[in-house]
Amino acid sequence: LKSLVKIMVAGVAAFCVVDGRGRALYEADFGSTARRDDARHLRQFVVAAALDKLNERKWETPNAYLKIIDHFDHDLVVHAYCTQGGIQFALLTTKGREEGNVKAFFESAHETIAKAKMNPFFIYDEEWFATNASFDAKVRRLSRVLG
């Protein structure tokens, strides 16, 4: 497991969008090891484990950005963001990321979703996040701000 964690840490960033009931709506790996299935599954596991802490922390503050909510193996941290509509974001990164950049990423992703929902022709379903290529491209473009 330790060797897998070392592989997983190299250039890691994993983003997950979850609905209010805890179902993953969208997942993206931005890391340089995104093609390794074992590392990808471990990142997904760490993010899923942090969702319990996200659900606890969102009631402790009126802020949408919850900052760092969980740590994993001294090298990885999970940042969280909770929208007023109940959609939750979790981002797994290495330590040392600039908090302002993470917050800007979350706010931009939130703005992208809000703009899509305000479109009068928008039909929301749970598959929208996973199947919308423009949303995926926008999130991947936004991830560049993470450094």
Side-chain angles (χ1 to χ4, degrees):
L1 182 64
K2 287 289 185 185
S3 63
L4 183 58
V5 169
K6 287 179 185 173
I7 291 169
M8 187 178 87
V9 169
V12 69
F15 178 59
C16 184
V17 177
V18 180
D19 69 2
R21 291 174 260 164
R23 291 182 298 198
L25 301 175
Y26 174 79
E27 294 177 358
D29 284 322
F30 309 130
S32 61
T33 60
R35 301 201 190 286
R36 273 198 66 148
D37 279 343
D38 49 357
R40 185 174 58 86
H41 290 304
L42 187 53
R43 286 196 292 267
Q44 291 172 348
F45 175 75
V46 171
V47 170
L51 292 178
D52 291 333
K53 291 187 180 183
L54 188 155
N55 287 325
E56 292 172 10
R57 289 278 304 275
K58 71 181 179 183
W59 300 110
E60 296 173 0
T61 180
N63 302 328
Y65 179 52
L66 303 176
K67 299 185 180 182
I68 295 174
I69 59 166
D70 201 4
H71 299 269
F72 179 74
D73 198 45
H74 306 293
D75 293 327
L76 301 172
V77 292
V78 179
H79 304 264
Y81 186 95
C82 188
T83 70
Q84 294 82 1
I87 295 176
Q88 304 164 359
F89 302 150
L91 179 70
L92 175 70
T93 65
T94 53
K95 275 189 174 179
R97 299 283 175 146
E98 200 60 43
E99 286 285 326
N101 292 346
V102 174
K103 184 178 180 182
F105 170 76
F106 281 140
E107 289 173 346
S108 297
H110 183 195
E111 180 181 345
T112 301
I113 293 170
K115 284 181 179 179
K117 285 186 170 184
M118 287 190 297
N119 181 343
F121 301 108
F122 177 77
I123 299 173
Y124 177 77
D125 65 352
E126 293 174 1
E127 300 297 317
W128 180 83
F129 291 98
T131 59
N132 191 308
S134 64
F135 176 73
D136 182 60
K138 177 77 172 179
V139 168
R140 291 184 184 283
R141 201 171 326 111
L142 292 172
S143 71
R144 294 183 193 144
V145 77
L146 295 172

